[in-house]
Amino acid sequence: MAKEFEPNIIGFLCNWCSYAGADLAGTSRMKYPPNIKSIRVMCSGRVDPVFVLEALRKGADGVLIGGCHPGDCHYQSGNYKANRRMKLLKKLLEELAIDPGRLRFEYISASEGAKFASVATEFVDQLKKIGPNPLKEVKK
Amino acid sequence: MVDEKTLRDAVKKTVGRKDVKYVVGYDKGTTGFQAAPTFAYEEKDAEKFVFNPTCVNNLAVYPMLEDKPPLRKGEEPDTRKIGIVLKGCDSRAIVQIIQEKGLKREDVVIIGIPCTGVIDPKKLKVKFPGQHKSVEVKYDNDKFAVTVDGKTQKFSKDELMPEKCKECEYPTPIIHDILIGKEIKGVKKPDYKEIEGFEKKSLDDKWKNWEKEFDKCIRCYACRQACPMCYCKECMVEILDPQWVRRSVNLSENTAWNLLRAFHLAGRCISCGECERSCPMDIPLMKLNKKITKDIHEMFDYKAGVDAEAKPLLAMFKPDDPEEFIL
């Protein structure tokens, strides 16, 4: 039997909300697919579009960016700015024929372990439908 | 029709000022269909200044290109101003640079030229293949008069103008200290039909199109050098650790470079078309820039290079920014 495609997801999670949210999902023993590799950043506003592109080129099938809810940012406005940036990046990815569904920006607070688990599940399902990333550099 | 005598007088007056270092303007070109940027350090240098439809370059790059070597002990920094001759579209670059605090308004003296459109050298090159000698192009009412080997031919403006001039919103410089001639009101609006048409295509078709274009790219970075908004001291493609873009010229790296270039200009591109003009491989770079300009206008109701007091697009937010999902 052919192995089912398992997407590789890089998650950039904000230290104050989403990372703690992911932590909560883990400590509460919620079930979510293990496809997400989390990278902790101090703020979702730290995520440069270069990071997203680099992740996609290095073989990630999807990139998840988790930030605090609007108004909750530890640094006042980082999540709003990240939101603007990612929205633009999505449009640009679409123009260059990369499925914008590979990039996802979510607001996940520290108390929303359940939301993190459901977002992860949903995102993996979505990426399974989209299929492997065509940008992936050919590996030897 | 710009009176060149008034222009020269203005340059003379500006360069004569004690607080002005030099003035950048256009000189008659030495080859083909392009005027060459030139500098005036003294009053007599002003005589070579011209303005005609071949003055395509955006001179707003010059104040940002200037080398500022570290000062010796006891040396005072040179705070003198730079004079620039600017067309309407070029002035938006200066406005945007001032908005980003790259320059101060008092650092530059702007000699504004209300412009009725310039030529696209690439379009003329097709009409006169193999023409290397400098060619005279003049405004002739609603036409361009091109003189090659003593013979004058007239072309309609639509035939020779680049796309940006056909939809020029700001023919008169937005900010200026001296204006040559009368102000021209901008009546044209940007036309996004082509972009919208391309948006509707499937991802596969889109990629086929861009693959073809990016495959041509030789990564000479002429687009970056010509762009008045690309003035970072160290460009991200030259950073070696971490190396975001590898030096090899292949489709993957070319795509990365072009995507990042376009994104770094998001909310900053003032549509002067310099990247596309300078591209030796004829990649339609403005198509990417225009797509972002359109999205920004639709999503955030923002236009770059119009208001020097406004905040840069990606450095601010509004609580009512569009959301794709309900919280």
Side-chain angles (χ1 to χ4, degrees):
Chain A
M1 211 177 90
K3 240 171 130 188
E4 201 193 354
F5 162 63
E6 283 297 338
N8 224 334
I9 301 172
I10 300 290
F12 291 102
L13 306 178
C14 122
N15 176 51
W16 306 99
C17 295
S18 308
Y19 197 78
D23 202 22
L24 182 68
T27 47
S28 336
R29 308 202 165 202
M30 280 168 199
K31 203 176 167 191
Y32 66 90
N35 307 42
I36 290 196
K37 277 96 182 162
S38 333
I39 295 173
R40 181 172 64 102
V41 287
M42 286 312 280
C43 178
S44 52
R46 170 70 179 90
V47 183
D48 193 305
V50 170
F51 298 178
V52 177
L53 195 74
E54 187 74 358
L56 289 175
R57 288 201 318 150
K58 286 262 170 84
D61 297 297
V63 176
L64 170 74
I65 293 150
C68 304
H69 279 272
D72 289 356
C73 180
H74 191 76
Y75 309 100
Q76 316 296 358
S77 60
N79 52 354
Y80 282 109
K81 287 172 185 163
N83 180 29
R84 269 199 168 185
R85 227 175 283 154
M86 291 313 147
K87 208 149 281 166
L88 266 176
L89 185 61
K90 255 189 196 181
K91 295 266 183 190
L92 195 57
L93 289 179
E94 198 180 349
E95 173 81 5
L96 290 181
I98 301 160
D99 198 310
R102 294 191 188 281
L103 175 61
R104 196 165 171 151
F105 183 72
E106 286 284 350
Y107 297 124
I108 302 164
S109 87
S111 62
E112 289 175 327
K115 183 174 175 186
F116 180 80
S118 73
V119 163
T121 323
E122 240 179 82
F123 197 24
V124 169
D125 287 346
Q126 188 188 337
L127 286 173
K128 273 184 183 163
K129 260 178 228 149
I130 297 175
N133 178 7
L135 267 187
K136 219 178 272 187
E137 285 163 349
V138 185
K139 279 181 192 147
K140 276 174 200 164
Chain B
M1 275 45 12
V2 177
D3 181 22
E4 286 181 349
K5 197 178 167 298
T6 337
L7 171 69
R8 282 174 199 148
D9 285 345
V11 172
K12 224 177 266 176
K13 218 177 98 192
T14 313
V15 85
R17 278 167 60 173
K18 269 221 174 88
D19 57 343
V20 171
K21 220 188 296 183
Y22 54 81
V23 178
V24 198
Y26 301 99
D27 188 1
K28 200 170 153 288
T30 50
T31 165
F33 312 98
Q34 247 170 282
T38 191
F39 298 83
Y41 293 95
E42 294 165 42
E43 285 186 23
K44 66 172 198 302
D45 295 340
E47 289 310 315
K48 60 189 175 188
F49 277 54
V50 295
F51 190 82
N52 57 42
T54 59
C55 296
V56 288
N57 301 46
N58 186 346
L59 300 180
V61 282
Y62 283 95
M64 303 314 288
L65 282 179
E66 203 187 29
D67 231 7
K68 290 199 181 80
L71 296 172
R72 288 205 195 91
K73 204 174 172 187
E75 205 175 22
E76 288 290 312
D78 191 350
T79 51
R80 285 179 297 168
K81 299 165 196 270
I82 298 172
I84 328 171
V85 178
L86 288 180
K87 306 188 290 285
C89 47
D90 306 345
S91 77
R92 285 180 70 188
I94 289 286
V95 173
Q96 186 62 26
I97 293 171
I98 293 173
Q99 187 193 84
E100 292 166 3
K101 305 204 165 37
L103 276 178
K104 287 191 209 105
R105 176 66 185 90
E106 56 269 23
D107 288 345
V108 281
V109 179
I110 298 170
I111 302 173
I113 291 183
C115 162
T116 47
V118 291
I119 56 150
D120 185 345
K122 281 177 183 165
K123 284 186 184 167
L124 253 180
K125 223 173 251 171
V126 177
K127 294 214 189 301
F128 300 100
Q131 177 67 34
H132 295 304
K133 268 194 203 144
S134 183
V135 170
E136 202 170 7
V137 184
K138 277 187 177 149
Y139 288 110
D140 189 345
N141 292 324
D142 270 353
K143 290 198 164 128
F144 289 129
V146 185
T147 312
V148 179
D149 299 333
K151 271 181 259 166
T152 307
Q153 271 177 285
K154 280 182 190 172
F155 293 100
S156 75
K157 280 198 165 170
D158 275 355
E159 212 174 329
L160 291 186
M161 273 198 305
E163 296 305 312
K164 63 156 181 176
C165 290
K166 288 181 193 167
E167 39 196 64
C168 175
E169 285 177 274
Y170 302 95
T172 312
I174 294 173
I175 47 170
H176 50 77
D177 297 298
I178 307 167
L179 194 66
I180 312 293
K182 273 195 201 121
E183 205 170 303
I184 304 171
K185 278 227 166 76
V187 283
K188 298 172 204 168
K189 280 263 165 292
D191 174 23
Y192 294 125
K193 256 188 217 122
E194 199 198 333
I195 305 287
E196 274 159 12
F198 191 76
E199 265 170 29
K200 284 188 196 108
K201 284 188 182 174
S202 72
L203 288 180
D204 272 348
D205 287 349
K206 279 182 188 171
W207 179 238
K208 259 179 213 142
N209 177 47
W210 284 118
E211 189 181 17
K212 195 180 78 218
E213 300 294 352
F214 291 156
D215 209 26
K216 292 192 287 192
C217 180
I218 53 171
R219 295 261 295 290
C220 59
Y221 300 137
C223 41
R224 180 187 73 187
Q225 295 309 111
C227 178
M229 303 317 300
C230 276
Y231 57 80
C232 290
K233 282 260 145 54
E234 191 178 18
C235 182
M236 56 81 198
V237 286
E238 266 131 31
I239 295 174
L240 293 174
D241 188 21
Q243 194 173 28
W244 301 118
V245 182
R246 256 63 69 194
R247 285 184 173 170
S248 48
V249 178
N250 57 39
L251 188 59
S252 158
E253 303 301 327
N254 293 355
T255 310
W257 156 245
N258 282 289
L259 202 151
L260 289 169
R261 189 197 68 85
F263 196 88
H264 283 184
L265 289 172
R268 306 172 62 234
C269 174
I270 44 95
S271 325
C272 64
E274 282 290 278
C275 44
E276 194 171 308
R277 180 188 65 76
S278 62
C279 181
M281 305 313 281
D282 297 329
I283 301 170
L285 294 165
M286 277 308 284
K287 222 163 123 188
L288 263 184
N289 294 343
K290 206 169 161 189
K291 152 88 179 151
I292 304 182
T293 312
K294 170 182 165 278
D295 286 337
I296 286 168
H297 188 65
E298 277 170 6
M299 288 195 291
F300 308 117
D301 195 19
Y302 180 90
K303 207 186 270 173
V306 182
D307 180 7
E309 300 298 314
K311 270 200 160 178
L313 174 85
L314 291 178
M316 60 130 175
F317 66 95
K318 285 183 193 150
D320 56 345
D321 275 349
E323 295 283 353
E324 284 150 354
F325 45 86
I326 300 155
L327 299 174

